Amino acid sequence: SSRVFHNPARVLECLQRSLKIADSCLPTQQSALFVEILNRYLYHFDQKNEKILVKYISGLIDLINTHLQTHGTEAEATTAEEGLPSVNMFYQNTLKHIQEKKAQAASGTVDVPYGDIDM
């Protein structure tokens, strides 16, 4: 059985560092970066990296929700100007993915604890 990651602690360290870097970017760019980082967290969570805890994912979702309430309009304008997909659409698709995984976890078809993620 091949493992997708070899150093779970290093993966977490890199993800946390990416959050710090994203936090230092312009507020209009942060939302898209935070959603992208959330997707990376979810990937490693799916891969059963034991260092990627539900509390990190739930905290990042909360951060994105707060950020979009504060800077959502500017972030959407920035992505439209740059020809990028809507940050809000990207985030809503990510939340939909989490909801689907939560349903699968509740039915027992997925053995990753998505049901514990707060949205």
Side-chain angles (χ1 to χ4, degrees):
S1 106
S2 88
R3 294 181 60 113
V4 175
F5 52 87
H6 302 287
N7 189 341
R10 182 76 173 128
V11 168
L12 177 61
E13 179 185 325
C14 289
L15 289 171
Q16 289 174 331
R17 184 176 301 141
S18 68
L19 280 172
K20 288 179 184 177
I21 292 168
D23 193 48
S24 68
C25 292
L26 293 172
T28 57
Q29 297 172 335
Q30 289 174 336
S31 297
L33 292 172
F34 289 152
V35 175
E36 187 65 47
I37 293 167
L38 172 61
N39 279 278
R40 299 296 176 236
Y41 268 87
L42 292 172
Y43 170 80
H44 289 284
F45 189 68
D46 273 341
Q47 299 301 313
K48 299 182 180 135
N49 178 334
E50 68 272 6
K51 297 293 184 180
I52 306 300
L53 304 177
V54 167
K55 70 178 183 178
Y56 298 139
I57 295 170
S58 295
L60 187 48
I61 290 170
D62 187 48
L63 173 68
I64 294 168
N65 287 335
T66 302
H67 199 272
L68 284 175
Q69 287 174 355
T70 308
H71 301 287
T73 306
E74 298 100 11
E76 287 298 315
T78 300
T79 56
E81 287 173 13
E82 295 174 3
L84 300 173
S86 163
V87 172
N88 197 41
M89 183 183 298
F90 185 29
Y91 183 50
Q92 292 307 315
N93 286 339
T94 299
L95 293 179
K96 182 179 175 187
H97 170 77
I98 294 170
Q99 287 288 23
E100 290 169 357
K101 290 288 191 170
K102 285 173 87 101
Q104 290 174 355
S107 69
T109 57
V110 171
D111 62 346
V112 179
Y114 270 89
D116 298 338
I117 295 175
D118 293 327
M119 296 175 46

